[in-house]
Amino acid sequence: MPNTTLELLLARNRNYAVRLSKNDSEYFSRHTAGQSPRCLWIGCADSRVPVDIMLQSSPGELFVLRNVANQVLAHDDGMMSGIEYALNSLQVETVIICGHTQCGGVDFAGVMAITPGHNFQETPLHRQIKPLSQMLLKHIQRYPALRQLPQDHLSRLFVEANVRQQIKQLQQTALFQAVSQKRQVEIYGCVYDLKTGIVDVLTDDENEVPG
Ligand SMILES: [Zn+2]
């Protein structure tokens, strides 16, 4: 049975391969020797955050890891194996952890934080997001006025708090600490704004600002 979604994607792929080869006959063969990206990008899986398009990056430039709400959890081998490879084998020098506005994963964690008594069903998504919701709950308990903020403002604050939390969690891993003792690796936190297409870098000193 033909799958129209797959057919459409394959047709676009053939156009892509033909167009780039026509302009530069070595385009694809150049990449077969190996990869040496300078940057590890950790982002959300959201389909509206097209990493290579919005950064205008070429193949080989970015090593990209994505999951729901860009979570860096020490027990998540899927994420940690990618980080290990990027830092130890590829010797990546820059790590960017990028959240985005209107993140469904962060919003879900926010709902869990605001309604802690609710009995959420235990699912993989729930387990993945639970540490974030616990962090957001502490944030709300520390700054109760957050509950009065408009939803979109609170959502943006949570997105930024999440990015900062993931940076901390990465820095605390034995893997990152071992690498840091040997060489410098820069970590930056960013937020991509779906409304403008702009990626902004978070500054260091906003960690405890309640908004
Ligand atoms: Zn997201």
Side-chain angles (χ1 to χ4, degrees), residues 44-46 48-49 67-70 99-106:
C44 182
D46 193 301
R48 301 165 296 176
V49 186
N67 64 19
V68 173
N70 38 277
H100 67 97
T101 57
Q102 295 172 280
C103 180
V106 172

Side-chain angles (χ1 to χ4, degrees), residues 93-134:
E93 297 162 350
T94 301
V95 179
I96 297 173
I97 300 183
C98 188
H100 67 97
T101 57
Q102 295 172 280
C103 180
V106 172
D107 285 345
F108 180 40
V111 170
M112 286 167 62
I114 286 169
T115 52
H118 188 85
N119 190 21
F120 289 96
Q121 194 179 1
E122 184 83 3
T123 67
L125 179 59
H126 179 272
R127 282 194 294 277
Q128 179 83 353
I129 293 301
K130 194 171 182 179
L132 172 59
S133 77
Q134 290 168 335

Side-chain angles (χ1 to χ4, degrees), residues 147-205:
R147 288 176 180 273
Q148 311 307 320
L149 289 174
Q151 180 55 39
D152 60 339
H153 192 168
L154 184 60
S155 175
R156 168 81 191 210
L157 285 179
F158 282 174
V159 165
E160 293 183 8
N162 176 42
V163 169
R164 292 195 172 90
Q165 180 67 16
Q166 302 317 312
I167 290 174
K168 269 188 212 164
Q169 286 168 195
L170 174 57
Q171 288 170 328
Q172 287 167 357
T173 60
L175 168 66
F176 187 84
Q177 290 184 2
V179 172
S180 297
Q181 288 181 355
K182 294 181 206 151
R183 64 189 180 89
Q184 190 172 6
V185 178
E186 307 272 9
I187 308 180
Y188 297 94
C190 296
V191 174
Y192 174 70
D193 192 328
L194 290 186
K195 283 186 187 164
T196 63
I198 300 290
V199 174
D200 282 319
V201 181
L202 300 180
T203 52
D204 291 337
D205 54 357

Side-chain angles (χ1 to χ4, degrees), residues 66-68 70-83 128:
R66 299 174 70 173
N67 64 19
V68 173
N70 38 277
Q71 297 297 286
V72 179
L73 299 168
H75 60 265
D76 175 4
D77 280 351
M79 174 58 71
M80 292 310 301
S81 60
I83 294 173
Q128 179 83 353

